[in-house]
Every structure is written in structure tokens, then in C-alpha cells.
Amino acid sequence: MPLPRFYRLPADRRESILQVAREHFARDGADRASYNKIIAELGISKTSAYQYFDGKEDLFAGVIEDVHARISQALGDWPDAGSAEHFWEQLQAASGRLTAHGLAHPDDLALLDASTAQDPAPWLAPVLDNGRALGVIRSDVDRELMLAATAAVLRAADVWAAARLRQGSAVPDVIWSLVRGMWSKPDES
């Protein structure tokens, strides 16, 4: 993770550093991106760079943390739905916001796989709890297990959908059918 001194930089300078690094990591991948090329493009010395990051891995972790925050912001907070119909509408709207964000920010889309490794519980737990309260998500499965299983399915679906979007293909609604099947009581599926 970035060192404390990085967080004391002005917000626009932090964003500039993260943007340049995000472009390199998205284009070249975490393994092939060059720390030296990134800091050269930023116009800072290696000494300065090491005041903000212990190395490329720390810079990458900072970029992924930022991508995750940007994706979370695009999703927005989950307001409790008052009905099953409204629940599914809100879920579709959140998916639409995520897709629009990915199309508008291809670097975030390229780094989505690494970002989905971040903890999804801050956004997903309220969705799950609301769905269980409305009876659209089965409650006979332990909450933590359902949260983990849903996160795993959505993580895989996000990576699959991101690959389709990068290829210019549409993302079919099959993801929600898969999630509905997992969330439904056995006699409802």
C-alpha cells in the first residue's frame, strides 16, 4: 500500500500519479509494467517515488485500491428496496452503472479482475440483507456462506463481462439468471 507521505500529497497530484500508473498497469499488466517508466513519465526521481511507495507492488496496490473505490462509487450505496420488483430493478440499475463505468474508463475495466479481489461486503452485504428481508434471497443458507458464494459468482461474472466489453461484445443478462438461480429456494428455481 502507498506510504503515509503519499496520502499527504494534494489530491490532484495523487490522482495524477494513480492515473499514469493505472494506464501503465492496464496496458502492460502488473508483471510487465515498468516502475522506472512510470516514475519517468511522472517526472519524479526514484528517490521521490520511494518516499510514496516501497516499490512497484505498493504502487500497484494503491492503483487497485483506487480502482476499487472508483467502481464502488459508480455502484453507489444500496438503498433498501421496498418490494421484490424494486429490488431487481435496483440490481439491474447498479449493473448498468457498473457497465457504463467500465466502458467510460477502460483502464478500470482492464484492472477489474485485480480489483474484484477487494472485499465486496461493503456493497454486497446490504444487497443480500435487503433481498433476504424481502424473501427474494433464500434464508435457509448461512448468511456468510451466501455472501461468500455470491461474491465469488459476481467476481467471476465481472471478469467474464469485462472481457466481453473489452472485445466490444454485449453482456447478456445471463448473469442475473445465474444469480437468481443461486438465490432462489430449491423449489423456486
Side-chain angles (χ1 to χ4, degrees):
M1 297 306 293
L3 298 171
R5 190 173 200 156
F6 174 75
Y7 295 106
R8 290 193 296 267
L9 287 171
D12 60 332
R13 183 63 179 145
R14 282 192 318 266
E15 175 51 35
S16 173
I17 290 169
L18 291 173
Q19 179 183 346
V20 167
R22 188 170 49 244
E23 290 168 3
H24 280 259
F25 287 124
R27 181 186 64 233
D28 302 329
D31 293 335
R32 293 191 330 255
S34 167
Y35 192 57
N36 291 335
K37 288 180 182 177
I38 293 169
I39 61 177
E41 186 174 331
L42 289 167
I44 60 176
S45 69
K46 261 191 170 179
T47 304
S48 294
Y50 281 107
Q51 292 179 12
Y52 306 131
F53 308 98
D54 279 334
K56 182 173 84 168
E57 293 77 19
D58 277 351
L59 176 57
F60 183 68
V63 166
I64 294 306
E65 177 183 59
D66 183 60
V67 167
H68 183 71
R70 291 160 50 95
I71 290 169
S72 294
Q73 184 177 9
L75 282 170
D77 292 332
W78 179 265
D80 278 350
S83 68
E85 182 179 340
H86 191 230
F87 175 85
W88 293 111
E89 288 171 1
Q90 281 185 192
L91 207 50
Q92 287 289 105
S95 177
R97 289 190 304 274
L98 182 59
T99 299
H101 177 83
L103 291 171
H105 303 280
D107 292 341
D108 288 358
L109 190 61
L111 296 168
L112 184 66
D113 188 17
S115 173
T116 59
Q118 301 282 321
D119 180 15
W123 188 81
L124 191 54
V127 174
L128 184 77
D129 293 340
N130 185 213
R132 288 170 74 123
L134 292 170
V136 296
I137 298 177
R138 60 192 295 178
S139 57
D140 62 324
V141 175
D142 178 78
R143 179 186 181 276
E144 296 307 311
L145 175 59
M146 184 60 81
L147 185 60
T150 301
V153 168
L154 291 178
R155 195 173 291 127
D158 285 347
V159 172
W160 175 80
R164 291 186 60 88
L165 289 172
R166 284 193 302 272
Q167 296 167 354
S169 301
V171 178
D173 287 336
V174 69
I175 294 170
W176 295 118
S177 173
L178 181 65
V179 171
R180 274 185 187 236
M182 178 177 60
W183 282 350
S184 298
K185 292 182 180 132
D187 59 322
E188 294 177 357
S189 52

